[in-house]
Amino acid sequence: MRLQELTEFRNEPLTDFSQDANRQAMEAALAEVRSEFGFTVPLIVGGEEVYTDDTFPSLNPSNPSQVLAQVSKGTKELADRAVQVANEAFQRWKKVPAAERADYLFKAAEGMRERKHYFSAWMVYEVGKSWPEADADTAEAIDFLEYYARQMIRLEETATSQLTQIPGERAELRHIPLGVGAVIPPWNFPSAILTGMTSAAIVAGNAVVLKPASTSPIIGYQVARLFHEVGLPGGVLNFLPGPGGTIGDTLVDHPLTRFVAFTGSKEVGLHIFERAGRAASGQRWLKRTILEMGGKDAVLVDETADLEKAAAAVVVSAFGFQGQKCSAGSRAIIVKDVYDTMVEKVVDRTRNLTVGDPSDPENWMGPVVDDKAFKKIRDYIEIGKQEGELIYGGDVVAEDGGYFIEPTIIKDVPPDARIAQEEIFGPVLAIIKAQDFDDALEIANSTEYGLTGALFSQDPERIERAKEEFHVGNLYFNRKCTGALVGVHPFGGFNMSGTDSKAGGPDYLLLFTQAKSVSAKTDGAQLPVEQGGK
């Protein structure tokens, strides 16, 4: 397939679950997934499934006594073997033309599209996503496959055309793959981000070892299995679940590892960044790190804003998927002139949110992902009670022992409070009063993060100022600060939010390649003997 043959990229439509047919299809997918509970997830190394005696359970956070699957646990030895196998596969895969590599992504996109509710249903059970949140995750995974396939073909066919050609010489610019990569995705977008990071690395000509998050290995396995079902050569994608402290470190430290693509917490990201900077014996390159590490994002509201729309956006940004998004608007910064009115509107809207098992489509919020997150969030709520005034929520929801926490709102929070500075990754909203727009902007920029932000204002001058001064990688006006679309909102942040790697953007694949300039004298041409430059 050539560039001129490609159809225009379009985002995958979201499912309208108010339609009976769609609702029934999702219910059927949930039933299909339930029928598969209790199977054993294998590793995949060199295209072969590997089962280990040592396993760990994947649990349903809505009902932690329910084991969804037993997961084969990788070891350091298996991690080393996976890297070796990936390196061998890379020697062949790098020679495959870009259009042929892209075709595997197109086939995977079609396969996921045909079974989209099946992938979504696994997310409902394994990480507690509501129907719409799971559906959006699957749609984004399809978008990444379609988008990166097109971008790779475009990159190969247009790079040279951007060069200046001089008489007597033909210049080319090639983007060649890096080698073996460790792909370490998060659990909160277990299909979308995992698929995006993996497919970008593969379509660029690299081979990868994919280590899924320990709380979402089943979904990772379904994606890896999909790639192999469409015929991806063995060894190009190796699937290795296991503990990060052993598997992750082994992959990062390995001398054959050329790059690490990671999305997760700041603490783990910095750990990877430090380890990747050490040259192992036999290592012949500087390891590249592609890191996205979270945020402490804010929705700013000034006195000119449409307060109804602002309140709706604050609630969705803060509590969508239980606040377990790096883009979640966990801070609402409101100027004092409309502070009390906005607080009341936010609380009123939050009262309408339903919390419970997300397999029931009537529940808007589900559980947080596991016991560790449950305890951490509750600890932060207790901290927040000392730092501000708890005005809504703060309690757990008793249902089948699940990890359910009410949407929680704490107002009058000082800008330097812990719950205003530290990433909580749960349904906790800190509301901060600003004296004016200048103060609000200063508060917004006061954290070590810089991922997403939103401003609600009808003042054109303030909007222009925010474009320059609101220091985040993804800035939105008069809308929520979550919900970036592939190809529309390239996603990635500043400061401790990561390397601003802009997933879903036109330059993302460059991070998985290295540029090689090739020039040749043309027949009969005479070049100057002396030239400047390097």
Side-chain angles (χ1 to χ4, degrees):
M1 185 179 293
R2 311 301 294 176
L3 182 59
Q4 59 267 27
E5 299 171 353
L6 287 176
T7 57
E8 181 182 355
F9 169 77
R10 294 190 182 280
N11 296 102
E12 182 71 13
L14 301 179
T15 302
D16 180 1
F17 288 114
S18 68
Q19 306 260 335
D20 287 342
N22 293 336
R23 199 177 179 99
Q24 291 169 10
M26 185 62 178
E27 288 171 346
L30 289 164
E32 180 183 1
V33 165
R34 282 196 302 272
S35 73
E36 297 179 10
F37 286 177
F39 80 110
T40 300
V41 175
L43 285 64
I44 302 176
V45 180
E48 300 294 327
E49 294 190 341
V50 178
Y51 293 87
T52 61
D53 293 333
D54 191 12
T55 63
F56 64 94
S58 177
L59 306 177
N60 179 355
S62 295
N63 179 9
S65 64
Q66 184 175 60
V67 177
L68 305 179
Q70 292 292 339
V71 184
S72 296
K73 185 184 295 185
T75 63
K76 288 185 177 181
E77 292 73 23
L78 283 167
D80 178 73
R81 176 182 161 195
V83 173
Q84 298 281 356
V85 167
N87 187 55
E88 293 169 7
F90 169 66
Q91 308 309 320
R92 301 182 296 273
W93 182 244
K94 67 182 180 182
K95 298 176 183 178
V96 175
E100 188 175 329
R101 298 195 303 262
D103 196 47
Y104 288 103
L105 270 63
F106 287 130
K107 290 177 180 177
E110 186 57 32
M112 188 175 288
R113 188 177 290 114
E114 291 172 355
R115 291 186 288 160
K116 66 187 304 183
H117 297 316
Y118 176 80
F119 282 87
S120 297
W122 270 117
M123 283 183 272
V124 170
Y125 285 118
E126 192 171 37
V127 296
K129 289 209 168 195
S130 66
W131 288 23
E133 290 280 358
D135 182 69
D137 197 305
T138 304
E140 186 176 12
I142 295 169
D143 283 350
F144 278 131
L145 292 164
E146 294 278 359
Y147 183 78
Y148 291 147
R150 287 169 170 78
Q151 287 300 120
M152 190 64 232
I153 295 170
R154 183 171 288 108
L155 181 63
E156 183 171 84
E157 295 192 10
T158 62
T160 294
S161 66
Q162 299 176 52
L163 298 180
T164 298
Q165 301 292 338
I166 62 174
E169 188 175 350
R170 170 60 181 168
E172 297 178 51
L173 184 62
R174 301 180 179 185
H175 290 89
I176 64 174
L178 298 172
V180 176
V183 175
I184 307 174
W187 56 263
N188 64 329
F189 285 87
S191 181
I193 295 180
L194 178 146
T195 300
M197 295 164 72
T198 303
S199 63
I202 288 172
V203 80
N206 305 289
V208 305
V209 180
L210 166 62
K211 195 207 87 64
S214 294
T215 42
S216 57
I218 300 175
I219 300 160
Y221 169 67
Q222 301 299 343
V223 174
R225 187 174 71 165
L226 173 65
F227 271 107
H228 287 91
E229 286 175 352
V230 301
L232 187 73
V236 174
L237 169 56
N238 303 277
F239 176 73
L240 197 74
T246 54
I247 303 301
D249 285 353
T250 300
L251 296 177
V252 172
D253 295 345
H254 203 289
L256 288 178
T257 297
R258 181 61 179 81
F259 65 92
V260 182
F262 166 81
T263 300
S265 70
K266 182 193 77 172
E267 290 74 22
V268 176
L270 291 177
H271 176 77
I272 290 172
F273 187 65
E274 179 183 5
R275 293 186 80 102
R278 306 172 193 164
S281 176
Q283 183 178 319
R284 303 179 65 181
W285 43 65
L286 298 177
K287 291 177 182 174
R288 186 173 296 181
T289 55
I290 304 158
L291 309 173
E292 197 273 279
M293 305 191 306
K296 189 65 181 176
D297 312 302
V299 178
L300 276 65
V301 183
D302 76 5
E303 72 279 7
T304 73
D306 181 323
L307 300 189
E308 291 294 341
K309 291 180 179 178
V314 166
V315 171
V316 173
S317 297
F319 302 128
F321 188 36
Q322 297 77 266
Q324 298 174 122
K325 300 180 182 182
C326 54
S327 59
S330 59
R331 294 182 297 159
I333 304 171
I334 305 168
V335 299
K336 64 179 182 180
D337 293 355
V338 293
Y339 183 83
D340 291 336
T341 302
M342 266 296 296
V343 169
E344 183 179 342
K345 290 181 180 296
V346 168
V347 171
D348 284 345
R349 285 183 172 272
T350 304
R351 287 196 179 99
N352 295 324
L353 304 183
T354 52
V355 182
D357 190 331
S359 63
D360 181 348
E362 298 305 314
N363 289 322
W364 194 85
M365 285 177 59
V368 298
V369 73
D370 61 10
D371 184 57
K372 181 179 178 181
F374 185 70
K375 292 176 180 176
K376 175 186 174 183
I377 295 163
R378 294 186 68 190
D379 287 346
Y380 267 113
I381 291 173
E382 291 306 311
I383 292 169
K385 290 178 181 178
Q386 305 304 314
E387 295 180 323
E389 180 184 349
L390 176 68
I391 57 172
Y392 190 85
D395 291 328
V396 302
V397 179
E399 185 175 325
D400 292 329
Y403 304 125
F404 298 99
I405 298 177
E406 290 181 323
T408 299
I409 302 172
I410 302 172
K411 74 169 187 174
D412 298 342
V413 176
D416 60 352
R418 286 186 63 186
I419 65 165
Q421 291 289 319
E422 300 174 13
E423 186 177 45
I424 300 173
F425 227 65
V428 181
L429 173 65
I431 301 184
I432 304 167
K433 182 185 294 185
Q435 294 304 304
D436 51 28
F437 177 72
D438 288 345
D439 188 35
L441 203 54
E442 183 176 344
I443 293 169
N445 290 330
S446 68
T447 76
E448 63 183 351
Y449 297 101
L451 186 53
T452 75
L455 169 63
F456 276 81
S457 176
Q458 301 301 319
D459 187 324
E461 291 186 5
R462 290 178 180 176
I463 289 174
E464 288 304 311
R465 274 192 62 195
K467 289 179 182 179
E468 296 295 326
E469 298 177 32
F470 199 158
H471 195 59
V472 292
N474 285 69
L475 179 60
Y476 306 100
F477 295 109
N478 297 310
R479 55 148 285 182
K480 63 181 182 176
C481 66
T482 59
L485 286 173
V486 173
V488 181
H489 315 109
F491 189 82
F494 305 149
N495 299 347
M496 285 298 174
S497 288
T499 54
D500 192 41
S501 48
K502 291 304 178 196
D507 57 354
Y508 187 65
L509 292 186
L510 296 178
L511 300 170
F512 298 88
T513 65
Q514 49 195 348
K516 184 175 183 178
S517 177
V518 179
S519 297
K521 176 185 171 183
T522 56
D523 290 342
Q526 191 68 38
L527 296 180
V529 175
E530 295 183 1
Q531 290 267 51
K534 295 180 179 179

